Amino acid sequence: MPETNYPFEITDVEEGTSKMLMKYFTGEMTGFVRVGPKGYFFPQKFRQEAANFYNMAIRPSDIFVTSYPRSGTTWAQELVWMVANDLDYETSNAIPLTERYPFLEFSVCVHPVNMQRFIEENSHDESKLELLRMVTKPGTELLADAPSPRFIKSHLPLSLFPPNILDGKMIYVARDPRDVAVSFYHLNKSMRTQGYTGDFKLFWECFMNDLHHWTPFFEHLKEAWEKRHHPNLLFLFYEELSKDLPGAVRRVADFFGKSYSDLQIEHLCDHLSIDSFKNNNSVNYDVMKELGIMVGNKEFIRKGKAGGWKDYFDEDMTAQAERWIADNLRNSDLRFPHL
């Protein structure tokens, strides 16, 4: 049965499957659930917050940047924030992206056992504990008292948001799933909330078979694609940002009713370049490293290129991926710009 004040059924993932996954995704220690008719996949903790996401009050001034993870979300967040805030470089450089954009459902990924570990590890520093509380606090609580306009990051599919989500504005970013999987694999290895211990081939199998957070991938994209003509939703491809950043900046500016000179756009594109991003502490999620949530020498901003998946896929995986993509796009006019 659906949860109270929640229209979708939430069911436990079969015990054997959950145990297998927890062996490799060590950040989760209770199990996983599927949500709604499409079976969106989340850690058990999603049960606690599902209704809060679905029933949160939307303000017309809200600005959501959404995507499946590792689709160019951070890139789009900074682009959108800069355009909407009249190119305010000073504030952008002074306030980390994590503070400018609460991550709506991040707390769902923080298992209570891990949370206790993070508290103990940071207990010597009250300012770190305060930062930890902010980062892991349920997004709907953080946003309830936030001043407008609220900038919000989320990887939820449209159907799990309030039905009136597009009373606010949304920028949705999509990317070739093969590049997504490679980038997400690296993040899952470095984030203790995920704690992935397996190899890439197994990660790809889980991703393709809807056994990973926020999957099924194509259903996620299709929900936004179907709304791409809505005046309050802008659908962007990572590959567009990669191939023609000035063009993407202009599209975002038009979406917000802003107009910038060629010189201003050139300056913003320089600020948004991958080289600049790699050296920009404000967007690099240094807070996660500082708190010990992200470990190792992996960078949150990686190579920032399209087509890097070819270095990770053998011939069988490449053929398998092509079939999987073709099957999922068969009854849709969604196409990635380079396919």
Side-chain angles (χ1 to χ4, degrees):
M1 291 294 293
E3 309 288 300
T4 308
N5 298 322
Y6 196 64
F8 302 121
E9 189 174 6
I10 300 178
T11 57
D12 290 343
V13 169
E14 190 267 324
E15 188 180 358
T17 303
S18 269
K19 281 184 175 174
M20 180 278 289
L21 290 169
M22 286 188 285
K23 178 180 167 187
Y24 294 103
F25 294 92
T26 61
E28 178 55 38
M29 300 156 222
T30 304
F32 302 93
V33 296
R34 291 200 179 278
V35 183
K38 293 173 184 174
Y40 286 110
F41 186 99
F42 292 100
Q44 271 284 349
K45 209 172 162 193
F46 189 84
R47 283 186 182 277
Q48 297 172 26
E49 297 190 40
N52 293 333
F53 299 140
Y54 191 80
N55 296 303
M56 69 182 283
I58 302 299
R59 304 175 193 170
S61 57
D62 284 343
I63 296 169
F64 287 83
V65 175
T66 65
S67 67
Y68 189 86
R70 307 308 283 175
S71 298
T73 327
T74 306
W75 210 4
Q77 282 177 265
E78 183 68 0
L79 190 170
V80 165
W81 193 92
M82 289 297 294
V83 167
N85 286 281
D86 301 318
L87 310 182
D88 183 355
Y89 291 96
E90 188 178 346
T91 303
S92 163
N93 292 330
I95 302 176
L97 204 60
T98 44
E99 289 183 39
R100 287 181 274 142
Y101 278 86
F103 182 176
L104 185 63
E105 69 274 18
F106 180 66
S107 58
V108 164
C109 300
V110 185
H111 191 277
V113 171
N114 267 335
M115 185 64 190
Q116 194 54 43
R117 285 175 186 158
F118 299 149
I119 289 169
E120 287 168 8
E121 290 165 13
N122 291 284
S123 61
H124 60 284
D125 188 330
E126 187 53 45
S127 64
K128 279 191 174 182
L129 283 175
E130 187 55 39
L131 195 56
L132 178 65
R133 282 190 283 268
M134 186 204 78
V135 167
T136 56
K137 189 175 184 178
T140 51
E141 292 179 27
L142 274 173
L143 290 162
D145 302 320
S148 295
R150 302 183 299 184
F151 289 80
I152 303 159
K153 167 189 171 177
S154 178
H155 297 310
L156 292 180
L158 253 68
S159 58
L160 302 187
F161 281 112
N164 67 331
I165 181 69
L166 294 181
D167 285 358
K169 285 189 179 292
M170 179 180 288
I171 293 82
Y172 185 94
V173 195
R175 185 183 190 184
D176 183 313
R178 295 165 293 193
D179 280 328
V180 166
V182 168
S183 186
F184 207 19
Y185 161 72
H186 285 289
L187 188 69
N188 273 256
K189 298 281 273 188
S190 63
M191 291 290 283
R192 289 166 70 193
T193 50
Q194 310 294 103
Y196 182 63
T197 60
D199 61 11
F200 177 69
K201 198 161 192 172
L202 176 63
F203 186 90
W204 171 248
E205 288 288 334
C206 292
F207 179 77
M208 207 173 40
N209 288 296
D210 306 335
L211 291 171
H212 197 27
H213 298 42
W214 296 284
T215 58
F217 174 83
F218 279 104
E219 290 302 327
H220 200 297
L221 267 61
K222 286 174 184 175
E223 287 191 17
W225 182 250
E226 286 164 10
K227 299 283 189 184
R228 69 192 182 280
H229 299 305
H230 191 288
N232 279 352
L233 187 139
L234 178 64
F235 193 106
L236 292 175
F237 285 101
Y238 181 95
E239 291 76 14
E240 288 179 82
L241 295 169
S242 192
K243 286 178 184 173
D244 181 14
L245 188 54
V249 169
R250 287 188 178 92
R251 282 189 67 197
V252 173
D254 288 346
F255 184 63
F256 285 104
K258 304 277 186 177
S259 181
Y260 295 113
S261 69
D262 290 347
L263 193 62
Q264 286 175 311
I265 288 174
E266 186 182 334
H267 186 196
L268 179 55
C269 287
D270 183 56
H271 173 76
L272 294 167
S273 72
I274 291 300
D275 288 341
S276 293
F277 246 43
K278 279 180 173 288
N279 298 308
N280 183 344
N281 292 339
S282 181
V283 301
N284 259 321
Y285 279 57
D286 283 7
V287 62
M288 294 301 186
K289 293 178 182 175
E290 194 182 328
L291 295 171
I293 296 173
M294 190 175 184
V295 293
N297 59 3
K298 298 286 186 188
E299 297 300 322
F300 190 81
I301 306 297
R302 290 184 64 253
K303 296 181 180 179
K305 69 173 185 177
W309 63 268
K310 292 169 187 169
D311 299 334
Y312 289 80
F313 284 66
D314 61 28
E315 280 187 32
D316 287 344
M317 291 170 73
T318 299
Q320 179 190 45
E322 285 174 0
R323 286 194 302 273
W324 178 66
I325 291 168
D327 286 347
N328 278 282
L329 294 181
R330 184 160 289 122
N331 297 316
S332 170
D333 58 356
L334 169 66
R335 294 292 181 274
F336 297 95
H338 59 294
L339 291 181

